[in-house]
Amino acid sequence: MPAYDAAAVAALADQQVSWQDKALPPTFWGRTVADVLAGKPRLSQLPTPLMTLSAPGLRHNVDTLATWCVRHGVELAPHGKTTMAPALWAMQLDAGAWGITLANGFQLGVARAYGVQRVLIANAVVSPLQLRWIADELAADPGFEVMVWADSVRTVEIMEEARSAHVGPDARPLDVMVEVGGIGGRTGARDPETALAVGEAIAAASTLRLAGVAGYEGAIGHGVDEANLEEVRAYLRDLVAVHHRLRELYPSDVVPVVSAGGSQYFEQVAKVLASLVGEGARVVLRSGAYITHDDGLYRRVSPLGENPRTDGEQLVAAMHGWMRITSQPEPGLAIFDAGRRDFPFDQDWPEPQLIRPRSAGSPVLEASGMTVTNLNDQHGFLRFEDVPVVIGDELRVGLSHPCTAFDKWGLIPVIDDPDADDPVVTDLVRTFF
């Protein structure tokens, strides 16, 4: 069965763009995405502020991690909440992703609208409304698979109560994974005894099925020095120990899934968990931010970033911001037309990189000696020394943390070459937040 509804994804090109799409100028409003792209628009035809994606960068990153996972014997269910873009999910699934990871019921609704067939919800679902809806989806589509998490017996009781009042005895069970946490982490059972009790409760429930063990090592590690990496590995070994204690509880028809791995420590996950594949388990990474990488947080900490900790090609930054200088109120200070509502700011300020040609035939300039020092809602502050800027200049900036970049844009242009004088727009990616 196909991993998603290709026709539904293709139909995104038939949607009209409008005043609601801040990435596009009024001259494009009322036209379909396909019509806009047929004209091969240039970056110079789009307004600022703007976020773009790099077509070759996306392709490189998707292929790089897909190849890495095959080489290391693990599966990938990329975290779709990073982009909330079905077209990009399709790209990842086409490259061999085992499924898509999501965080909540709303995001699952988006996935179902585009026919995604295998979803891992990296969270507990305790809303009876959502549990009943998921039960209806499982009943309506025999090919649909979904897994949810539980870190307490109470969570299991809520799921069982909501489902048993809604489904019959022959209904497909809901697959549930025991979530293992760590002291100082986020959610997850804090000790093996609690985790085992959760697994026993799932196994004893009439409408649930024990499907595996999961956790998030990113809530445990806080750096990439050896001491932090060992802390991550210790947590992952605890995850393995819980899986081993639950083995006798797994149903005979279940291939248990053991899942961890964001975009910061996936090499550690493979190092500790990959051996479980030989014992009959399926090891699934959930990395999401890798698809665009970045020019900040993940450039520093990714195993395939600027300081690689594993084999394989390095990931590349595939998202950029574009902004225009609108004011020079003081010497050495420029104000630009982008702010917190346009670019991510939770990890690092945008990084000035290039100045687009100021006139026909002039070259792209490096934005050296420039620093973004603050962002307001709709304004940014740029300090400059080496290369003077003037009102009207358009700058490209590198961005940090994809997970807080995509949610600011409902439609994102994809360009053929972010380093070109005037890149061509090759696609428009629709997001759903």
Side-chain angles (χ1 to χ4, degrees):
M1 180 173 291
Y4 63 93
D5 186 341
V9 173
L12 287 166
D14 299 326
Q15 294 185 358
Q16 284 191 343
V17 301
S18 72
W19 54 268
Q20 298 180 73
D21 300 308
K22 67 178 183 178
L24 298 183
T27 52
F28 293 155
W29 296 351
R31 297 164 63 180
T32 67
V33 167
D35 287 340
V36 171
L37 295 176
K40 297 183 178 180
R42 298 270 180 174
L43 182 69
S44 58
Q45 295 175 254
L46 305 183
T48 56
L50 181 69
M51 189 176 96
T52 62
L53 303 174
S54 162
L58 291 172
R59 182 76 270 160
H60 169 84
N61 292 342
V62 169
D63 289 346
T64 293
L65 197 57
T67 299
W68 189 93
C69 287
V70 171
R71 185 183 304 127
H72 289 266
V74 297
E75 305 275 8
L76 176 64
H79 212 320
K81 59 92 176 170
T82 299
T83 66
M84 285 307 295
L88 297 182
W89 299 348
M91 185 180 185
Q92 293 167 306
L93 290 165
D94 287 344
W98 177 77
I100 295 293
T101 298
L102 296 168
N104 55 43
F106 162 74
Q107 294 175 5
L108 178 61
V110 176
R112 294 305 294 147
Y114 288 89
V116 177
Q117 289 298 96
R118 183 181 288 126
V119 175
L120 195 162
I121 299 181
N123 222 331
V125 178
V126 294
S127 162
L129 291 173
Q130 292 182 344
L131 288 164
R132 290 194 291 267
W133 175 73
I134 292 172
D136 292 341
E137 288 292 301
L138 287 169
D141 184 354
F144 173 47
E145 300 176 38
V146 62
M147 297 181 178
V148 302
W149 291 5
D151 67 356
S152 72
V153 172
R154 173 61 179 155
T155 299
V156 177
E157 291 171 346
I158 290 173
M159 290 191 290
E160 172 72 355
E161 180 179 353
R163 284 179 50 82
S164 61
H166 184 68
V167 301
D170 297 328
R172 292 174 61 196
L174 175 63
D175 284 336
V176 185
M177 304 176 72
V178 176
E179 182 187 3
V180 177
I183 301 300
R186 197 166 58 190
T187 53
R190 292 299 199 258
D191 57 77
E193 289 69 30
T194 299
L196 181 60
V198 174
E200 290 172 339
I202 297 168
S206 64
T207 71
L208 309 176
R209 184 170 67 168
L210 181 61
V213 177
Y216 177 51
E217 78 292 339
I220 304 298
H222 302 287
V224 293
D225 56 50
E226 183 54 32
N228 273 282
L229 295 181
E230 175 53 31
E231 189 174 15
V232 168
R233 289 192 293 268
Y235 163 73
L236 294 168
R237 289 193 290 268
D238 289 343
L239 200 92
V240 171
V242 169
H243 164 67
H244 283 155
R245 292 187 66 176
L246 292 175
R247 277 189 296 192
E248 293 184 359
L249 296 176
Y250 293 128
S252 59
D253 59 342
V254 165
V255 176
V257 171
V258 182
S259 177
S263 294
Q264 184 170 349
Y265 300 111
F266 57 79
E267 94 289 10
Q268 302 299 317
V269 175
K271 184 177 296 185
V272 177
L273 300 188
S275 62
L276 298 177
V277 175
E279 301 176 12
R282 177 176 282 111
V283 175
V284 178
L285 301 182
R286 304 188 309 277
S287 311
Y290 81 95
I291 189 170
T292 59
H293 197 52
D294 70 11
D295 282 306
L297 173 67
Y298 288 107
R299 182 175 63 190
R300 296 190 298 271
V301 304
S302 170
L304 293 173
E306 63 183 359
N307 297 300
R309 302 191 303 273
T310 186
D311 58 294
E313 296 187 55
Q314 291 186 36
L315 300 172
V316 300
M319 64 175 184
H320 299 93
W322 304 84
M323 42 79 155
R324 199 176 304 275
I325 304 301
T326 60
S327 175
Q328 286 183 284
E330 302 170 11
L333 172 66
I335 306 298
F336 54 84
D337 63 353
R340 295 178 179 228
R341 292 179 174 174
D342 308 300
F343 299 152
F345 58 90
D346 60 317
Q347 295 292 342
D348 304 278
W349 297 127
E351 175 187 88
Q353 295 177 334
L354 299 176
I355 303 177
R356 290 194 60 243
R358 295 174 173 178
S359 59
S362 62
V364 172
L365 301 176
E366 288 190 14
S368 58
M370 299 182 187
T371 305
V372 173
T373 58
N374 198 9
L375 294 177
N376 295 158
D377 285 352
Q378 311 284 189
H379 297 85
F381 293 72
L382 180 74
R383 291 288 178 179
F384 61 92
E385 297 176 0
D386 298 347
V387 179
V389 298
V390 298
I391 293 174
D393 275 354
E394 186 176 351
L395 274 66
R396 189 190 84 188
V397 293
L399 304 176
S400 181
H401 197 197
C403 298
T404 53
F406 278 81
D407 63 341
K408 296 168 177 58
W409 298 89
L411 193 68
I412 307 176
V414 180
I415 56 178
D416 66 339
D417 181 2
D419 296 328
D421 288 355
D422 197 5
V424 176
V425 178
T426 61
D427 203 356
L428 294 167
V429 170
R430 178 69 67 185
T431 67
F432 296 89
F433 285 94

